[in-house]
Amino acid sequence: LMTRDLGQYENIMPAVFARYEIPMFMDLDRSMSAHPLVAFLDKLLHLAPAYTMTDIMGLLKTELLIPDGVLLADYREALAETENYVLAKNVAGWQWTDKTPWQYDRQALTSDDEVTRERVAGKDAQLAMIHDQISQIVAPFLHRLQQAPTARDMARELYNFITQIGIQKRLINWRDNAIEQGDLWSAQQPEQVWRVFISILDDFVQVFDSEVM
């Protein structure tokens, strides 16, 4: 299909082609700033030392830090529950990095009502899943990054962290899912963004290398 302005059909064309199960590719530039990996890196490198709720939720809602074995729907539910808890309890930034477990309702744990205890235990598990991502995964990484003596060490820490938490694997899964759905346009983005990320790291090391940061 040819059109003078492909941008005006950016949203409707994928839906129409998907409805009729027709694979498609749109030769349309899409800003990388909107990609989850870009948003993840932006929030990640701005978290410390404040650890604001806005930055933390922005980081986690990219869905690039989902624990292994956790369903997407369960993760989203836990994230929504934690967001409500943080707002209700006015949780401070330092509490995100403190490894002390959060409790949804301390009094309910001693309730005589078994149903209530089970419900609260489930809420506690949801809070723990999200809280642990910051206190046990992200915060220790940011501490190591801060202690890295040179630019090369910083780049190595960042690359190791990104690969260890499985982001590259998740991007590949997103690509494969898009291909299965016939969305060739979206399928190309994960690899493109990943290549740009690696290129930027390489350039950073080449320019600054052993300089103390």
Side-chain angles (χ1 to χ4, degrees), residues 91-102:
V91 173
W94 67 267
Q95 290 174 284
W96 279 99
T97 60
D98 185 2
K99 295 183 180 180
T100 303
W102 292 350

Side-chain angles (χ1 to χ4, degrees), residues 102-140:
W102 292 350
Q103 290 185 317
Y104 183 80
D105 187 343
R106 296 181 181 179
Q107 296 181 345
L109 291 175
T110 59
S111 172
D112 294 331
D113 186 348
E114 183 177 352
V115 174
T116 298
R117 293 200 305 272
E118 290 181 354
R119 181 181 65 84
V120 172
K123 299 290 186 183
D124 284 346
Q126 290 179 317
L127 295 179
M129 180 198 302
I130 304 302
H131 178 213
D132 288 351
Q133 288 189 300
I134 302 300
S135 64
Q136 299 187 24
I137 298 176
V138 173

Side-chain angles (χ1 to χ4, degrees), residues 184-203:
L184 303 182
W185 186 40
S186 296
Q188 68 177 341
Q189 276 206 308
E191 289 188 19
Q192 288 180 344
V193 174
W194 180 259
R195 286 198 298 267
V196 170
F197 166 63
I198 296 300
S199 177
I200 292 174
L201 274 188
D202 288 341
D203 290 344

Side-chain angles (χ1 to χ4, degrees), residues 65-71 133 164-166 169-170:
L65 199 60
I66 301 177
D68 290 337
V70 176
L71 297 176
Q133 288 189 300
Q164 287 169 4
I165 62 177
K169 180 180 178 181
R170 187 159 290 112

